[in-house]
Amino acid sequence: MTPLIEANRVSRTLADPEPFTLVCDASLSVAPGEMVAIVGPSGCGKSSLLYLLGLLDRPTSGSISIDGRVTEDLGEAERTHIRLERIGYVFQFHFLLPELTALANVALPMRRLARLTGDQIAERAAALLEKVGLGDGAGKRPERMSGGERQRVAIARALANDPAILLSDEPTGNLDSANTRMVIAEFQRLAHEEGRGVVCVTHDATVAAAADRRIHMLDGRIVAGD
Ligand SMILES: Nc1ncnc2c1ncn2[C@@H]1O[C@H](COP(=O)(O)OP(=O)(O)OP(=O)(O)O)[C@@H](O)[C@H]1O
Ligand SMILES: [Mg+2]
């Protein structure tokens, strides 16, 4: 089975203001149907690695393949297209647009991909919100929502274009235990029942334990996996 994502000896260094290595020689692959956790102390490079896996940043050496296709030689437009079509991203900070309603936030990636009509987009956005338990919150703006509600909107938005890959960065960072359980159950369902590849950066031991396997990072490197 072709991995959804494959990182082959990926490094990301910064030159300015002084040389610094964010990610060093990291290799991993994620198959359809699995939930993988990336764990490690603050500052070890988890978010940096996730940016690389999600084509939001480019490695300084090594390569990232999506669906078996190397991405380094692709131009920005093509990378953006792969990202829109294949990858959903739940950021460490939710990054919802405050001036838009929940429904409009979820609709945004669909509007960018421009595959569906306006009516279809609105219908699908409402269905996604319903699925994360926010059926009646569609018209609310993020500032009037709780942290858990916002996080659920962010998950619905990440799923907007039906991505094969879901990348999430501390998806339960500011959630209480009930909402954390909800997110874990949803991620497991997305992997195990829907066959997506789910990657989850987390400090939360319950989330890490719920994954099929864990990748441990330290000082920019992958030091262990189980
Ligand atoms: N643009 C940047 N310029 C300089 N240093 C950076 C930059 N981005 C990240 N860093 C540094 O790189 C290291 C890795 O950062 P990263 O955000 O990937 O860590 P993390 O494992 O996600 O941490 P956390 O668990 O706190 O979110 C940190 O020491 C951070 O301060
Ligand atoms: Mg981080």
Side-chain angles (χ1 to χ4, degrees), residues 4-5 50-56 64-67 71 78-91 109 157-168 196-197 199:
L4 292 169
I5 311 181
L50 209 63
Y51 286 139
L52 293 168
L53 298 177
L55 309 188
L56 293 163
I64 308 275
S65 299
I66 303 289
D67 302 318
T71 58
E78 202 152 5
R79 287 166 61 91
T80 300
H81 189 76
I82 293 175
R83 213 158 57 216
L84 261 180
E85 204 171 38
R86 302 294 288 165
I87 304 170
Y89 214 111
V90 181
F91 293 93
R157 180 181 58 178
L159 295 173
N161 291 329
D162 197 21
I165 300 163
L166 180 69
L167 303 179
S168 64
R196 299 179 212 259
V199 179

Side-chain angles (χ1 to χ4, degrees), residues 11-185:
S11 297
R12 174 68 164 100
T13 54
L14 301 171
D16 282 334
E18 54 195 37
F20 186 80
T21 300
L22 298 169
V23 175
C24 186
D25 206 22
S27 297
L28 63 90
S29 77
V30 179
E34 66 173 351
M35 175 175 169
V36 179
I38 299 178
V39 299
S42 183
C44 72
K46 304 180 298 296
S47 295
S48 304
L49 177 60
L50 209 63
Y51 286 139
L52 293 168
L53 298 177
L55 309 188
L56 293 163
D57 188 17
R58 286 179 185 261
T60 32
S61 66
S63 74
I64 308 275
S65 299
I66 303 289
D67 302 318
R69 182 180 181 205
V70 171
T71 58
E72 273 60 51
D73 304 333
L74 303 176
E76 256 342 287
E78 202 152 5
R79 287 166 61 91
T80 300
H81 189 76
I82 293 175
R83 213 158 57 216
L84 261 180
E85 204 171 38
R86 302 294 288 165
I87 304 170
Y89 214 111
V90 181
F91 293 93
Q92 186 159 9
F93 307 100
H94 62 79
F95 286 136
L96 297 173
L97 297 181
E99 67 276 21
L100 299 182
T101 62
L103 190 91
N105 268 288
V106 176
L108 215 51
M110 293 185 260
R111 290 176 52 187
R112 288 186 67 203
L113 190 62
R115 281 262 167 80
L116 303 176
T117 65
D119 285 351
Q120 289 169 327
I121 289 173
E123 199 174 306
R124 178 166 167 77
L128 283 164
L129 285 170
E130 184 83 51
K131 219 160 107 180
V132 294
L134 285 177
D136 50 8
K140 267 199 197 176
R141 297 205 306 185
E143 70 216 22
R144 288 178 46 225
M145 302 187 133
S146 69
E149 288 172 334
R150 283 182 203 144
Q151 201 63 316
R152 284 186 271 164
V153 177
I155 293 171
R157 180 181 58 178
L159 295 173
N161 291 329
D162 197 21
I165 300 163
L166 180 69
L167 303 179
S168 64
D169 202 344
E170 299 292 355
T172 60
N174 52 7
L175 302 186
D176 60 18
S177 60
N179 276 302
T180 296
R181 279 197 301 277
M182 193 279 298
V183 169
I184 289 173

